[in-house]
Amino acid sequence: MKIRNRLNPSNPCFSFEFFPPKTDEGTANLLKTLEELAPLEPGFVSVTYGAGGSTRDRTVELVTRIKRETGIEAMAHITCVGHTPGELRDVLQRLKDAKVENVLVLRGDPPQGQTAFEPVPGGFRHATELVRFIRDEDFNFCLGGACYPEGHVETASRDDDLRHLKEKVDAGLDFVITQLFFDNAFYFDFVERARRIGINVPIVPGIMPITNYEQVQRFTRMCGATVPMRLGLQLERVKDQPEALVQLGVAHATVQCMELLSRGVPGIHFYTLNKSPATRMIVSALRART
Ligand code: FAD
């Protein structure tokens, strides 16, 4: 099933993002988690692509197994990092052979130790180039891409970033998923500005339930997402009480999702960080409401 056909404001879908575990045991646990999530009827799940090494093969393997063993639609992420076009073609062919229909096309972050992104010789500098490559190779995938309501961390201005997004969408994206945000105002403003310059594909909000204080500090530093002052103060107060922190994270994300749904989003993508209980609580609450 092509994900673009599942993104519908009158019947929004929930999707869950996972990263590939490093061990076979971890993979078995993740597949079990997915079985537990299946009753929540996710529209799809997605599996991230690592910075290098063997976890990359695990993305293709895991997506294939999820599709085969759970029947849930699974999307593979792919990045330009460290790959020549020939290598990317091979990964894409493996996905196609495994009957994977949906791919999230990314540039990727600079590998650890590098401050700026540098493509391999002959490689792609921006995700747009990889989108064009995939369309030219005629793989017939449904393609998603990333977008940034608060602007990508490397960009000089949000307007520049939005123009680059327009080029990326015009190169052949079917939908985009946002970076995480904790304040819906960023998302609504972003969608309005995107529509104004002719970006017409579905823009799926990405939500990360906060479950760990240090982790949220690290993520927001990395991706530049703003923690609203009130939420920041509340987090500070419960940072040494793990249960209360999770409750706060779940409550905040649930309220965010309720507002997003009431304003007609086509779906909500959850960054689960492979910890499904928080996501399960939120989606259960949202399902109970509809
Ligand atoms: P691009 O679209 O190429 O944009 C990167 C920067 O280049 C932006 O600042 C943009 O404005 C600029 N730019 C684009 N085109 C041009 C141009 N023509 N000229 C000048 N500047 C330009 N990372 C992983 O490693 N693995 C994953 O699985 C993964 N999954 C993700 C899923 C989602 C939903 C999101 C939001 C991010 C994910 N990331 C992942 C992180 C992502 O790889 C980083 O945010 C990365 O820094 C940018 O990737 P991109 O595809 O958005 O890049």
Side-chain angles (χ1 to χ4, degrees), residues 16 23-24 28 63 65 70 78 89 98 120 130 142-143 159 176 190 202 214 224 239 248 253 278 282:
F16 308 135
T23 61
D24 290 341
V63 166
R65 285 191 66 183
T70 70
I78 191 167
R89 186 187 293 111
V120 297
L130 179 52
C142 172
L143 296 184
D159 285 346
V176 289
F190 175 73
E214 281 74 30
K239 67 179 179 188
L248 174 61
I282 298 162

Side-chain angles (χ1 to χ4, degrees), residues 48-49 77 79 104 106-109 126-127 146 148 152 155 161 164 167-168 177-179 271:
T48 63
Y49 201 67
H77 297 203
T79 73
L104 193 76
L106 302 140
R107 186 201 68 182
D109 284 320
H126 302 294
Y148 305 86
H152 182 253
T155 199
D161 202 35
H164 295 143
E167 277 168 25
K168 187 159 67 172
I177 301 179
T178 75
Q179 183 56 279
Y271 295 104

Side-chain angles (χ1 to χ4, degrees), residues 6-209:
R6 280 298 285 110
L7 298 173
N8 177 358
S10 55
N11 183 20
C13 77
F14 300 121
S15 53
F16 308 135
E17 179 174 308
F18 300 97
F19 56 84
K22 289 201 174 74
T23 61
D24 290 341
E25 195 192 347
T27 301
N29 283 339
L30 182 54
L31 288 164
K32 197 163 160 285
T33 299
L34 280 167
E35 273 172 30
E36 288 162 13
L37 287 170
L40 296 172
E41 299 177 350
F44 64 96
V45 299
S46 80
V47 181
T48 63
Y49 201 67
S54 60
T55 67
R56 295 186 140 186
D57 290 332
R58 285 187 180 267
T59 300
V60 181
E61 279 165 32
L62 189 57
V63 166
T64 310
R65 285 191 66 183
I66 293 171
K67 273 183 80 87
R68 197 178 53 222
E69 294 175 28
T70 70
I72 300 172
E73 190 55 53
M75 170 167 74
H77 297 203
I78 191 167
T79 73
C80 307
V81 177
H83 276 320
T84 62
E87 288 163 353
L88 286 163
R89 186 187 293 111
D90 289 347
V91 178
L92 292 159
Q93 189 59 51
R94 283 175 61 205
L95 290 169
K96 189 164 171 107
D97 292 344
K99 304 211 172 356
V100 173
E101 293 179 74
N102 304 283
V103 178
L104 193 76
V105 185
L106 302 140
R107 186 201 68 182
D109 284 320
Q112 257 185 352
Q114 284 178 26
T115 45
F117 179 83
E118 272 304 323
V120 297
F124 300 123
R125 182 165 288 280
H126 302 294
T128 304
E129 294 170 13
L130 179 52
V131 176
R132 279 198 196 109
F133 175 78
I134 298 174
R135 287 306 183 209
D136 288 348
E137 294 276 319
D138 212 11
F139 279 109
N140 193 28
F141 289 120
C142 172
L143 296 184
C147 65
Y148 305 86
E150 299 185 57
H152 182 253
V153 279
E154 292 165 27
T155 199
S157 81
R158 286 186 194 170
D159 285 346
D160 280 355
D161 202 35
L162 203 56
R163 266 195 301 279
H164 295 143
L165 178 63
K166 170 93 167 76
E167 277 168 25
K168 187 159 67 172
V169 171
D170 289 348
L173 291 183
D174 296 294
F175 63 94
V176 289
I177 301 179
T178 75
Q179 183 56 279
L180 60 93
F181 56 89
F182 299 106
D183 180 346
N184 289 349
F186 288 114
Y187 173 82
F188 296 127
D189 174 66
F190 175 73
V191 172
E192 200 182 306
R193 290 187 299 119
R195 299 302 182 225
R196 225 182 287 143
I197 66 160
I199 296 173
N200 295 316
V201 294
I203 300 177
V204 181
I207 296 294
M208 189 188 80

Side-chain angles (χ1 to χ4, degrees), residues 209-270:
I210 296 172
T211 55
N212 177 302
Y213 185 78
E214 281 74 30
Q215 199 170 48
V216 79
Q217 304 287 323
R218 202 171 60 245
F219 275 34
T220 49
R221 249 197 326 272
M222 257 163 49
C223 76
T226 306
V227 177
M229 193 189 287
R230 194 178 139 92
L231 176 63
L233 290 172
Q234 289 170 326
L235 287 170
E236 187 69 36
R237 242 179 267 140
V238 293
K239 67 179 179 188
D240 298 320
Q241 303 165 47
E243 254 181 57
L245 188 104
V246 171
Q247 280 167 8
L248 174 61
V250 166
H252 182 80
T254 306
V255 171
Q256 264 195 291
C257 292
M258 282 170 66
E259 188 189 23
L260 290 164
L261 290 170
S262 74
R263 291 183 57 175
V265 293
I268 298 181
H269 188 68
F270 290 95

